[in-house]
Every structure is written in C-alpha cells, then in structure tokens.
PDB file of all heavy atoms in Angstrom:
ATOM      1  N   ARG A   1      80.651 108.003  90.482  1.00  0.00           N
ATOM      2  CA  ARG A   1      81.568 107.126  89.763  1.00  0.00           C
ATOM      3  C   ARG A   1      82.959 107.249  90.357  1.00  0.00           C
ATOM      4  O   ARG A   1      83.543 108.331  90.364  1.00  0.00           O
ATOM      5  CB  ARG A   1      81.624 107.441  88.268  1.00  0.00           C
ATOM      6  CG  ARG A   1      82.387 106.357  87.487  1.00  0.00           C
ATOM      7  CD  ARG A   1      82.358 106.557  85.988  1.00  0.00           C
ATOM      8  NE  ARG A   1      83.401 107.478  85.537  1.00  0.00           N
ATOM      9  CZ  ARG A   1      84.003 107.396  84.348  1.00  0.00           C
ATOM     10  NH1 ARG A   1      83.661 106.437  83.484  1.00  0.00           N
ATOM     11  NH2 ARG A   1      84.923 108.281  84.011  1.00  0.00           N
ATOM     12  N   LEU A   2      83.475 106.133  90.851  1.00  0.00           N
ATOM     13  CA  LEU A   2      84.816 106.070  91.399  1.00  0.00           C
ATOM     14  C   LEU A   2      85.803 105.632  90.323  1.00  0.00           C
ATOM     15  O   LEU A   2      85.471 104.822  89.461  1.00  0.00           O
ATOM     16  CB  LEU A   2      84.885 105.096  92.570  1.00  0.00           C
ATOM     17  CG  LEU A   2      83.877 105.279  93.703  1.00  0.00           C
ATOM     18  CD1 LEU A   2      84.157 104.272  94.813  1.00  0.00           C
ATOM     19  CD2 LEU A   2      83.899 106.703  94.236  1.00  0.00           C
ATOM     20  N   SER A   3      87.020 106.163  90.402  1.00  0.00           N
ATOM     21  CA  SER A   3      88.088 105.793  89.490  1.00  0.00           C
ATOM     22  C   SER A   3      89.317 105.389  90.282  1.00  0.00           C
ATOM     23  O   SER A   3      89.572 105.913  91.366  1.00  0.00           O
ATOM     24  CB  SER A   3      88.451 106.960  88.559  1.00  0.00           C
ATOM     25  OG  SER A   3      87.359 107.356  87.778  1.00  0.00           O
ATOM     26  N   CYS A   4      90.093 104.478  89.724  1.00  0.00           N
ATOM     27  CA  CYS A   4      91.342 104.055  90.336  1.00  0.00           C
ATOM     28  C   CYS A   4      92.341 103.770  89.230  1.00  0.00           C
ATOM     29  O   CYS A   4      92.121 102.864  88.416  1.00  0.00           O
ATOM     30  CB  CYS A   4      91.134 102.818  91.211  1.00  0.00           C
ATOM     31  SG  CYS A   4      92.653 102.149  91.924  1.00  0.00           S
ATOM     32  N   ALA A   5      93.424 104.519  89.211  1.00  0.00           N
ATOM     33  CA  ALA A   5      94.449 104.382  88.190  1.00  0.00           C
ATOM     34  C   ALA A   5      95.720 103.794  88.794  1.00  0.00           C
ATOM     35  O   ALA A   5      96.241 104.309  89.785  1.00  0.00           O
ATOM     36  CB  ALA A   5      94.751 105.730  87.550  1.00  0.00           C
ATOM     37  N   ALA A   6      96.207 102.728  88.193  1.00  0.00           N
ATOM     38  CA  ALA A   6      97.447 102.094  88.615  1.00  0.00           C
ATOM     39  C   ALA A   6      98.600 102.584  87.753  1.00  0.00           C
ATOM     40  O   ALA A   6      98.469 102.706  86.536  1.00  0.00           O
ATOM     41  CB  ALA A   6      97.340 100.574  88.524  1.00  0.00           C
ATOM     42  N   SER A   7      99.729 102.857  88.385  1.00  0.00           N
ATOM     43  CA  SER A   7     100.898 103.318  87.652  1.00  0.00           C
ATOM     44  C   SER A   7     102.154 102.715  88.266  1.00  0.00           C
ATOM     45  O   SER A   7     102.143 102.241  89.401  1.00  0.00           O
ATOM     46  CB  SER A   7     100.984 104.845  87.647  1.00  0.00           C
ATOM     47  OG  SER A   7     101.130 105.352  88.962  1.00  0.00           O
ATOM     48  N   GLY A   8     103.244 102.768  87.513  1.00  0.00           N
ATOM     49  CA  GLY A   8     104.513 102.229  87.962  1.00  0.00           C
ATOM     50  C   GLY A   8     105.002 101.136  87.042  1.00  0.00           C
ATOM     51  O   GLY A   8     104.579 101.032  85.890  1.00  0.00           O
ATOM     52  N   SER A   9     105.888 100.310  87.557  1.00  0.00           N
ATOM     53  CA  SER A   9     106.498  99.246  86.764  1.00  0.00           C
ATOM     54  C   SER A   9     105.602  98.014  86.758  1.00  0.00           C
ATOM     55  O   SER A   9     105.890  96.999  87.389  1.00  0.00           O
ATOM     56  CB  SER A   9     107.882  98.905  87.315  1.00  0.00           C
ATOM     57  OG  SER A   9     108.749 100.030  87.268  1.00  0.00           O
ATOM     58  N   ILE A  10     104.515  98.110  86.014  1.00  0.00           N
ATOM     59  CA  ILE A  10     103.513  97.047  85.953  1.00  0.00           C
ATOM     60  C   ILE A  10     103.746  96.198  84.719  1.00  0.00           C
ATOM     61  O   ILE A  10     103.752  96.714  83.602  1.00  0.00           O
ATOM     62  CB  ILE A  10     102.095  97.627  85.945  1.00  0.00           C
ATOM     63  CG1 ILE A  10     101.842  98.434  87.217  1.00  0.00           C
ATOM     64  CG2 ILE A  10     101.072  96.502  85.803  1.00  0.00           C
ATOM     65  CD1 ILE A  10     100.562  99.234  87.180  1.00  0.00           C
ATOM     66  N   PHE A  11     103.905  94.902  84.941  1.00  0.00           N
ATOM     67  CA  PHE A  11     104.063  93.973  83.829  1.00  0.00           C
ATOM     68  C   PHE A  11     102.722  93.410  83.387  1.00  0.00           C
ATOM     69  O   PHE A  11     102.456  93.295  82.188  1.00  0.00           O
ATOM     70  CB  PHE A  11     105.022  92.840  84.208  1.00  0.00           C
ATOM     71  CG  PHE A  11     105.244  91.847  83.104  1.00  0.00           C
ATOM     72  CD1 PHE A  11     106.049  92.159  82.028  1.00  0.00           C
ATOM     73  CD2 PHE A  11     104.638  90.599  83.134  1.00  0.00           C
ATOM     74  CE1 PHE A  11     106.260  91.250  80.991  1.00  0.00           C
ATOM     75  CE2 PHE A  11     104.838  89.683  82.117  1.00  0.00           C
ATOM     76  CZ  PHE A  11     105.651  90.008  81.042  1.00  0.00           C
ATOM     77  N   ASN A  12     101.891  93.056  84.348  1.00  0.00           N
ATOM     78  CA  ASN A  12     100.603  92.456  84.017  1.00  0.00           C
ATOM     79  C   ASN A  12      99.624  92.658  85.167  1.00  0.00           C
ATOM     80  O   ASN A  12      99.982  92.482  86.329  1.00  0.00           O
ATOM     81  CB  ASN A  12     100.760  90.962  83.740  1.00  0.00           C
ATOM     82  CG  ASN A  12      99.507  90.339  83.172  1.00  0.00           C
ATOM     83  OD1 ASN A  12      98.913  90.873  82.237  1.00  0.00           O
ATOM     84  ND2 ASN A  12      99.105  89.199  83.722  1.00  0.00           N
ATOM     85  N   ILE A  13      98.395  93.025  84.827  1.00  0.00           N
ATOM     86  CA  ILE A  13      97.312  93.113  85.792  1.00  0.00           C
ATOM     87  C   ILE A  13      96.405  91.905  85.620  1.00  0.00           C
ATOM     88  O   ILE A  13      95.990  91.593  84.506  1.00  0.00           O
ATOM     89  CB  ILE A  13      96.498  94.405  85.617  1.00  0.00           C
ATOM     90  CG1 ILE A  13      97.367  95.635  85.901  1.00  0.00           C
ATOM     91  CG2 ILE A  13      95.270  94.406  86.532  1.00  0.00           C
ATOM     92  CD1 ILE A  13      96.675  96.953  85.625  1.00  0.00           C
ATOM     93  N   TYR A  14      96.099  91.237  86.720  1.00  0.00           N
ATOM     94  CA  TYR A  14      95.217  90.080  86.686  1.00  0.00           C
ATOM     95  C   TYR A  14      93.776  90.471  86.995  1.00  0.00           C
ATOM     96  O   TYR A  14      92.855  90.107  86.262  1.00  0.00           O
ATOM     97  CB  TYR A  14      95.710  89.006  87.657  1.00  0.00           C
ATOM     98  CG  TYR A  14      97.111  88.556  87.337  1.00  0.00           C
ATOM     99  CD1 TYR A  14      98.204  89.082  88.018  1.00  0.00           C
ATOM    100  CD2 TYR A  14      97.347  87.618  86.331  1.00  0.00           C
ATOM    101  CE1 TYR A  14      99.493  88.690  87.703  1.00  0.00           C
ATOM    102  CE2 TYR A  14      98.634  87.225  86.017  1.00  0.00           C
ATOM    103  CZ  TYR A  14      99.701  87.764  86.705  1.00  0.00           C
ATOM    104  OH  TYR A  14     100.989  87.372  86.385  1.00  0.00           O
ATOM    105  N   THR A  15      93.582  91.206  88.090  1.00  0.00           N
ATOM    106  CA  THR A  15      92.278  91.736  88.443  1.00  0.00           C
ATOM    107  C   THR A  15      92.441  93.085  89.130  1.00  0.00           C
ATOM    108  O   THR A  15      93.478  93.388  89.704  1.00  0.00           O
ATOM    109  CB  THR A  15      91.488  90.815  89.397  1.00  0.00           C
ATOM    110  OG1 THR A  15      92.158  90.746  90.661  1.00  0.00           O
ATOM    111  CG2 THR A  15      91.335  89.413  88.822  1.00  0.00           C
ATOM    112  N   MET A  16      91.387  93.886  89.072  1.00  0.00           N
ATOM    113  CA  MET A  16      91.265  95.061  89.913  1.00  0.00           C
ATOM    114  C   MET A  16      89.851  95.069  90.478  1.00  0.00           C
ATOM    115  O   MET A  16      88.900  94.708  89.792  1.00  0.00           O
ATOM    116  CB  MET A  16      91.553  96.350  89.158  1.00  0.00           C
ATOM    117  CG  MET A  16      93.015  96.483  88.725  1.00  0.00           C
ATOM    118  SD  MET A  16      93.430  98.099  88.000  1.00  0.00           S
ATOM    119  CE  MET A  16      93.416  99.141  89.465  1.00  0.00           C
ATOM    120  N   GLY A  17      89.736  95.492  91.733  1.00  0.00           N
ATOM    121  CA  GLY A  17      88.439  95.462  92.380  1.00  0.00           C
ATOM    122  C   GLY A  17      88.282  96.544  93.421  1.00  0.00           C
ATOM    123  O   GLY A  17      89.202  97.318  93.692  1.00  0.00           O
ATOM    124  N   TRP A  18      87.078  96.577  93.996  1.00  0.00           N
ATOM    125  CA  TRP A  18      86.712  97.562  94.997  1.00  0.00           C
ATOM    126  C   TRP A  18      86.254  96.876  96.272  1.00  0.00           C
ATOM    127  O   TRP A  18      85.472  95.914  96.227  1.00  0.00           O
ATOM    128  CB  TRP A  18      85.596  98.466  94.473  1.00  0.00           C
ATOM    129  CG  TRP A  18      86.012  99.287  93.297  1.00  0.00           C
ATOM    130  CD1 TRP A  18      85.890  98.973  91.977  1.00  0.00           C
ATOM    131  CD2 TRP A  18      86.639 100.577  93.340  1.00  0.00           C
ATOM    132  NE1 TRP A  18      86.393  99.970  91.187  1.00  0.00           N
ATOM    133  CE2 TRP A  18      86.857 100.969  92.000  1.00  0.00           C
ATOM    134  CE3 TRP A  18      87.029 101.425  94.372  1.00  0.00           C
ATOM    135  CZ2 TRP A  18      87.455 102.194  91.680  1.00  0.00           C
ATOM    136  CZ3 TRP A  18      87.621 102.635  94.052  1.00  0.00           C
ATOM    137  CH2 TRP A  18      87.824 103.003  92.715  1.00  0.00           C
ATOM    138  N   TYR A  19      86.717  97.378  97.412  1.00  0.00           N
ATOM    139  CA  TYR A  19      86.403  96.836  98.721  1.00  0.00           C
ATOM    140  C   TYR A  19      85.905  97.944  99.634  1.00  0.00           C
ATOM    141  O   TYR A  19      86.219  99.113  99.429  1.00  0.00           O
ATOM    142  CB  TYR A  19      87.632  96.181  99.360  1.00  0.00           C
ATOM    143  CG  TYR A  19      88.137  94.948  98.650  1.00  0.00           C
ATOM    144  CD1 TYR A  19      88.824  95.038  97.447  1.00  0.00           C
ATOM    145  CD2 TYR A  19      87.944  93.677  99.202  1.00  0.00           C
ATOM    146  CE1 TYR A  19      89.297  93.912  96.795  1.00  0.00           C
ATOM    147  CE2 TYR A  19      88.416  92.547  98.558  1.00  0.00           C
ATOM    148  CZ  TYR A  19      89.096  92.674  97.357  1.00  0.00           C
ATOM    149  OH  TYR A  19      89.562  91.543  96.724  1.00  0.00           O
ATOM    150  N   ARG A  20      85.153  97.560 100.655  1.00  0.00           N
ATOM    151  CA  ARG A  20      84.723  98.498 101.685  1.00  0.00           C
ATOM    152  C   ARG A  20      84.628  97.770 103.015  1.00  0.00           C
ATOM    153  O   ARG A  20      84.424  96.554 103.044  1.00  0.00           O
ATOM    154  CB  ARG A  20      83.385  99.143 101.331  1.00  0.00           C
ATOM    155  CG  ARG A  20      82.204  98.180 101.339  1.00  0.00           C
ATOM    156  CD  ARG A  20      80.944  98.840 100.810  1.00  0.00           C
ATOM    157  NE  ARG A  20      79.805  97.939 100.881  1.00  0.00           N
ATOM    158  CZ  ARG A  20      78.618  98.174 100.329  1.00  0.00           C
ATOM    159  NH1 ARG A  20      78.419  99.306  99.652  1.00  0.00           N
ATOM    160  NH2 ARG A  20      77.632  97.299 100.452  1.00  0.00           N
ATOM    161  N   PRO A  21      84.773  98.470 104.148  1.00  0.00           N
ATOM    162  CA  PRO A  21      84.615  97.827 105.453  1.00  0.00           C
ATOM    163  C   PRO A  21      83.206  97.286 105.620  1.00  0.00           C
ATOM    164  O   PRO A  21      82.242  97.843 105.087  1.00  0.00           O
ATOM    165  CB  PRO A  21      84.895  98.953 106.449  1.00  0.00           C
ATOM    166  CG  PRO A  21      85.699  99.953 105.680  1.00  0.00           C
ATOM    167  CD  PRO A  21      85.173  99.883 104.278  1.00  0.00           C
ATOM    168  N   ALA A  22      83.084  96.192 106.367  1.00  0.00           N
ATOM    169  CA  ALA A  22      81.793  95.568 106.625  1.00  0.00           C
ATOM    170  C   ALA A  22      81.793  94.962 108.016  1.00  0.00           C
ATOM    171  O   ALA A  22      82.848  94.589 108.538  1.00  0.00           O
ATOM    172  CB  ALA A  22      81.490  94.497 105.580  1.00  0.00           C
ATOM    173  N   PRO A  23      80.599  94.847 108.635  1.00  0.00           N
ATOM    174  CA  PRO A  23      80.526  94.215 109.959  1.00  0.00           C
ATOM    175  C   PRO A  23      81.103  92.810 109.948  1.00  0.00           C
ATOM    176  O   PRO A  23      80.803  92.009 109.054  1.00  0.00           O
ATOM    177  CB  PRO A  23      79.024  94.203 110.254  1.00  0.00           C
ATOM    178  CG  PRO A  23      78.460  95.314 109.429  1.00  0.00           C
ATOM    179  CD  PRO A  23      79.283  95.322 108.176  1.00  0.00           C
ATOM    180  N   GLY A  24      81.934  92.511 110.932  1.00  0.00           N
ATOM    181  CA  GLY A  24      82.489  91.186 111.071  1.00  0.00           C
ATOM    182  C   GLY A  24      83.732  90.908 110.255  1.00  0.00           C
ATOM    183  O   GLY A  24      84.294  89.808 110.355  1.00  0.00           O
TER     184      GLY A  24
END
C-alpha cells in the first residue's frame, strides 16, 4: 500500500493520482 500526503498552502485539490514509467 502506497501513501502520498500533500501539505502546504493548499486551497483546493481537484485530483490526485499515481503514475509509473512505461515503454514509449
């Protein structure tokens, strides 16, 4: 299970997602 926490002067989050390298 991966976790990702955003912090700082955040007014609004629209989306959060996960990416990885891929061929091409």
Side-chain angles (χ1 to χ4, degrees):
R1 190 175 84 149
L2 307 183
S3 300
C4 176
S7 62
S9 299
I10 300 170
F11 181 75
N12 189 48
I13 296 175
Y14 301 98
T15 66
M16 293 187 73
W18 296 92
Y19 294 74
R20 67 187 183 189

